[in-house]
Amino acid sequence: MAAPDSSRGHAARSPARPPAHPPAHHCSELLGTGPSTADLVPAFSLIGERLTRALAVGLARLSGGEAPLVRAAMPVAATLATVEAGIAGLAAHTLMGMGVSGLPLLAIFEAAPVFRLVDRAFGGPGEVPDPLPESFPLSAELLLAHIETCVAEALSFALDGQGGEEHRVRPLRRDVSLRQLDPFPAHADLLTLSLDIEEPGLSAWSLTLALPTTTLAAATTTPRHGPPRRRRFVHPGPAEEPFASMPLEVTAVLVDMRLGMARLSNLRPGEILPVAVARSVPLQIGGRTLASGTIGEIDDRVAVQVTHAF
């Protein structure tokens, strides 16, 4: 008798399926997500501290006077719309680019401080026209170009500290209309930094920097490919910033004489004291002799020709 066919009366069985795998979860380090806006605030604050020192030196070199006091406020989160809403009236907006790829950042100069600086540059007390004009005159445009260069150099130092090309900042273009300038997408997350500049005996003025978080992240984070680049600190020399523009008072000692107390107490207006100018005139800073030279004349002015430097 033939064996019964066991396949009869049974449905065909489908091949077994492998068990489903749970969805993959990757950490932020693998995904390469950038730091959040809150994470970038402390980094931007540190950059702001370095920026105040570098900007003070640059502005002193620009004006030829004492270094002003520059203060940086805490960074504030913003968007292009909130930045535009905070500007009242005429202002100059300068788009700058960082590094070879030209990552964008924005510098904002309101009209009143600019006109005050222009008036002072021409010997005035720093008056502001009332009402403000609808555009900047050529004199203000030229001054803005100098201030932009000063801010860009200070930012390059603050972002890198060694003048590296990857963090070098350059002014690109300027416009009084923020919409026409169109520096970055309207929805981009920004961090703004306000800088207050105070000079002795003069009215304080301010400027604002706005950086997209993508630009700030590129300036403050280390690329994940390859080991982190070690920075070798190089002590700047006297011919380099921030020392190059530091004003120092140099004293040329033409006469060094001694008088007795009795003679000194009897001095009267009109009395003549015979003095002899030394052949070698010492040049001193803070009482310390750094060089010596001889007295001469150039362009109807008394001059010292340095003959020996220590």
Side-chain angles (χ1 to χ4, degrees):
M1 181 180 293
D5 188 354
S6 60
S7 63
R8 293 179 181 176
H10 296 278
R13 295 180 180 178
S14 60
R17 297 180 179 177
H21 292 286
H25 294 276
H26 300 291
C27 62
S28 59
E29 288 78 4
L30 293 177
L31 292 175
T33 55
S36 65
T37 301
D39 295 332
L40 291 172
V41 169
F44 201 12
S45 296
L46 182 59
I47 291 172
E49 292 178 8
R50 294 199 296 263
L51 178 60
T52 57
R53 296 191 292 270
L55 187 58
V57 172
L59 291 174
R61 185 172 64 248
L62 179 64
S63 64
E66 296 183 29
L69 176 63
V70 183
R71 292 190 179 96
M74 282 295 295
V76 177
T79 63
L80 202 57
T82 58
V83 169
E84 187 174 15
I87 301 172
L90 180 65
H93 309 91
T94 301
L95 176 64
M96 300 185 180
M98 184 192 76
V100 178
S101 57
L103 294 175
L105 57 101
L106 184 67
I108 303 169
F109 308 92
E110 295 189 12
V114 174
F115 281 109
R116 191 178 296 121
L117 292 173
V118 170
D119 188 65
R120 279 167 32 198
F122 285 92
E127 296 180 350
V128 179
D130 186 21
L132 288 172
E134 296 182 358
S135 61
F136 289 101
L138 179 59
S139 57
E141 294 281 357
L142 293 175
L143 178 63
L144 280 169
H146 288 297
I147 298 177
E148 287 169 356
T149 302
C150 180
V151 171
E153 291 176 352
L155 266 172
S156 300
F157 175 81
L159 292 171
D160 184 87
Q162 299 187 42
E165 190 64 28
E166 59 185 315
H167 293 132
R168 188 177 299 279
V169 178
R170 299 177 179 86
L172 300 178
R173 61 181 187 273
R174 182 192 327 129
D175 204 306
V176 295
S177 172
L178 193 55
R179 294 185 181 181
Q180 291 292 332
L181 185 66
D182 192 23
F184 16 79
H187 62 273
D189 294 326
L190 311 177
L191 279 175
T192 61
L193 182 71
S194 295
L195 297 169
D196 295 325
I197 298 98
E198 297 180 9
E199 301 178 69
L202 301 173
S203 300
W205 58 285
S206 62
L207 63 94
T208 302
L209 300 174
L211 275 70
T213 54
T214 51
T215 298
L216 191 56
T220 57
T221 57
T222 304
R224 293 193 299 108
H225 51 82
R229 179 171 62 94
R230 290 187 177 182
R231 290 185 176 180
R232 184 173 60 89
F233 179 75
V234 179
H235 292 277
E240 302 173 353
E241 299 296 346
F243 304 117
S245 303
M246 182 179 297
L248 296 174
E249 183 176 346
V250 181
T251 302
V253 184
L254 301 182
V255 178
D256 187 3
M257 59 185 301
R258 294 177 179 272
L259 288 177
M261 179 61 73
R263 179 74 183 277
L264 188 63
S265 61
N266 291 325
L267 287 179
R268 297 292 183 270
E271 187 171 352
I272 298 176
L273 296 176
V275 297
V277 178
R279 291 181 176 272
S280 180
V281 176
L283 299 179
Q284 299 180 346
I285 295 179
R288 182 174 181 179
T289 301
L290 301 180
S292 62
T294 56
I295 288 293
E297 182 179 326
I298 182 172
D299 296 334
D300 297 327
R301 300 179 64 183
V302 178
V304 177
Q305 182 178 18
V306 176
T307 57
H308 186 71
F310 302 97

